[in-house]
């Protein structure tokens, strides 16, 4: 089974990487880009029967820095 | 309107970051993690009426390195 985890910076946390992308898109002539946030997506290939709670524990312990990042778990 | 872009390394391209995560999860005692791939997710806040073709152009020109990365666009 597979799980997909999205890790994004929380609202209000400065995202310089996203800001750089926004600026670069403007410089390339793409108008109307009002904001960009960049995060991580982690695709996990797991043993059958792994439950969502285990994946959430992985997020808390390793995948996300919960002080500044939020995460979403999706089992596929 | 918002668009979400997923950028992942293509299959067969070595993913050292994902490999490091897999190793670290094993070291933390999570068994059964068979593989990990790590990619980027970019959330764009766009002017109303921007179409998917424009977002794809952004991917081709800036957001993804199409030699080694594939991307998926999702309008939200």
């Amino acid at each position: 089974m597979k799980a997909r985890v999205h890790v994004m910076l929380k609202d209000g946390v400065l995202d310089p990487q996203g800001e750089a992308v926004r600026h670069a898109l403007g410089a390339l002539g793409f108008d109307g880009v009002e904001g960009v946030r960049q995060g991580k997506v982690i695709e996990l290939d797991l043993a059958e029967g792994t439950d969502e709670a285990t994946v959430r524990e992985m997020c808390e312990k390793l995948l996300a820095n919960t002080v500044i990042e939020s995460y979403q778990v999706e089992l596929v």
Side-chain angles (χ1 to χ4, degrees), chain A residues 3 9 11 15 20 32 39 45-46 48 52-53 63 74:
Chain A
L9 285 169
D11 286 341
D15 179 1
D45 206 349
L46 299 167
E48 283 308 317
E52 194 177 319
L63 304 179
E74 189 188 333

Side-chain angles (χ1 to χ4, degrees), chain A residues 49-76:
Chain A
T50 310
D51 60 359
E52 194 177 319
T54 308
V55 182
R56 291 194 162 273
E57 207 185 323
M58 292 177 188
C59 293
E60 295 283 340
K61 285 198 177 160
L62 182 75
L63 304 179
N65 173 357
T66 52
V67 177
I68 53 166
E69 292 171 328
S70 61
Y71 61 87
Q72 264 183 305
V73 172
E74 189 188 333
L75 297 182
V76 198

Side-chain angles (χ1 to χ4, degrees), chain A residues 37-49:
Chain A
R37 304 286 286 175
Q38 183 167 333
K40 291 179 288 186
V41 56
I42 300 152
E43 287 184 357
L44 301 155
D45 206 349
L46 299 167
E48 283 308 317

Side-chain angles (χ1 to χ4, degrees), chain A residues 23-36:
Chain A
H23 190 262
L25 285 172
L28 283 171
F30 292 104
D31 297 324
V33 181
E34 283 149 25
V36 179

